Amino acid sequence: MTADILKEIKENVITGNAPKTKEMTQKAVAEKVPVEEILNNGLIAGMTVVGVKFKNNEFYVPEVLIAARAMHAGMDVIEPLIAKAGIKPIAKVAIGTVKGDLHDIGKNLVVMMWKGGGFEVEDLGIDVPPEKFVEAAKNGAKVLGLSALLTTTMVSMKEVIESLKTAGVRDQVKVIIGGAPVTQSYADEIGADAYAPDAASAVEKVKEVLNI
Ligand code: B1M
């Protein structure tokens, strides 16, 4: 029975049915399914499939956004219970679009995938100056995600890494970069810890840099 409800939650996240995801999550809570199971085997399991489909070009941006909305509908139900159950997020991470850059669709997808992967995500927004990334690292983010869509703003990624060094916090945080003009060789050149070509890979990369 529990397995059926969790399967339904997972399937409704994948198909992006927010009302049904909410309803099934409420049903699971009413039937005393442990909140950790609802999260891991229902909601996160659904988003994981979405990530794989997105990577394989079976899903495109609209499907991912709709699935994320469904996941949020389920999260809203269990969020108060998560705090009570004492479930800890895997790690705290922060992400922003770098200084001078206002593009946020790709960055928002990474936010959703990271949340879907069980991370606590601080979204720093767009046009984020290096000092805000430094502040996030000082506030406990274990990974910083930097997004850039313009060839003119990707240089700011290097500034972020230099600022982390100047502030003496480079060793305590991993830096993952991404965005259309960004490449692995650029990541190597500026000393980033990883490059992710898309939002689904960003989940794999964050686990990789944290050794989890
Ligand atoms: Co702009 N824009 N834009 N734009 N825009 C591009 C990027 C451009 C390629 C269009 C073009 O000329 N063909 C071009 C950049 C050229 C260049 O530098 N090489 C460009 C330009 C020039 C500009 C302006 C300068 C235009 C002007 O005003 N003259 C201006 C700059 C404003 C600024 O930022 N200061 C500008 C403005 C805008 C809008 C505001 C109108 C709007 C943004 C709206 C918004 O984001 N809220 C916009 C849009 C929508 C685009 C295009 C059409 C689409 C971008 C997008 O959202 N793609 C884009 C052309 C294109 O790409 N076809 C273009 C979908 C999104 C899902 O993909 O963001 O690449 P993307 O994210 C991917 C991956 O890159 C990766 O994951 C995502 C998917 O899995 N990823 C990460 C992204 N961040 C990641 C971080 C990670 C890991 C992966 O880890 C941390």
Side-chain angles (χ1 to χ4, degrees):
M1 188 62 185
T2 298
D4 289 347
I5 301 177
L6 294 175
K7 194 169 167 233
E8 277 216 48
I9 293 173
K10 179 179 163 184
E11 293 303 326
N12 281 299
V13 169
I14 298 168
T15 54
N17 189 333
K20 201 82 183 139
T21 304
K22 183 179 175 184
E23 187 194 318
M24 293 313 296
T25 306
Q26 283 167 334
K27 191 173 174 200
V29 170
E31 297 199 4
K32 309 241 179 304
V33 178
V35 69
E36 200 159 5
E37 275 192 44
I38 302 174
L39 185 65
N40 293 329
N41 303 332
L43 298 167
I44 292 180
M47 271 314 268
T48 305
V49 174
V50 172
V52 172
K53 285 186 179 289
F54 185 43
K55 204 172 170 188
N56 296 339
N57 293 323
E58 289 171 55
F59 272 14
Y60 294 95
V61 173
E63 282 104 331
V64 177
L65 296 176
I66 291 166
R69 194 181 56 190
M71 193 192 83
H72 282 136
M75 286 295 288
D76 286 347
V77 176
I78 61 166
E79 225 146 31
L81 307 172
I82 290 178
K84 267 195 213 156
I87 297 171
K88 297 242 180 309
I90 300 176
K92 190 173 166 185
V93 298
I95 184 169
T97 304
V98 297
K99 193 169 124 192
D101 202 319
L102 307 177
H103 296 84
D104 68 356
I105 299 169
K107 184 263 298 169
N108 291 344
L109 283 173
V110 178
V111 169
M112 287 167 191
M113 298 305 288
W114 278 358
K115 282 188 178 167
F119 293 89
E120 178 188 343
V121 185
E122 184 184 5
D123 185 352
L124 303 171
I126 52 173
D127 192 15
V128 180
E131 52 275 22
K132 266 188 96 177
F133 285 105
V134 170
E135 203 181 302
K138 285 183 174 169
N139 289 336
K142 296 286 171 243
V143 175
L144 297 177
L146 278 49
S147 177
L149 262 287
L150 300 171
T151 43
T152 48
T153 57
M154 59 191 270
V155 288
S156 181
M157 293 176 155
K158 187 168 190 247
E159 285 173 34
V160 173
I161 292 177
E162 294 308 320
S163 300
L164 291 168
K165 286 182 191 161
T166 308
V169 292
R170 180 65 188 96
D171 292 345
Q172 68 191 49
V173 69
K174 301 290 182 188
V175 177
I176 301 181
I177 64 170
V182 180
T183 58
Q184 179 63 54
S185 69
Y186 186 64
D188 296 340
E189 185 188 319
I190 66 170
D193 297 288
Y195 156 69
D198 53 55
S201 317
V203 181
E204 291 161 17
K205 289 291 169 187
V206 77
K207 289 181 179 167
E208 208 174 289
V209 295
L210 291 173
N211 284 323
I212 47 179

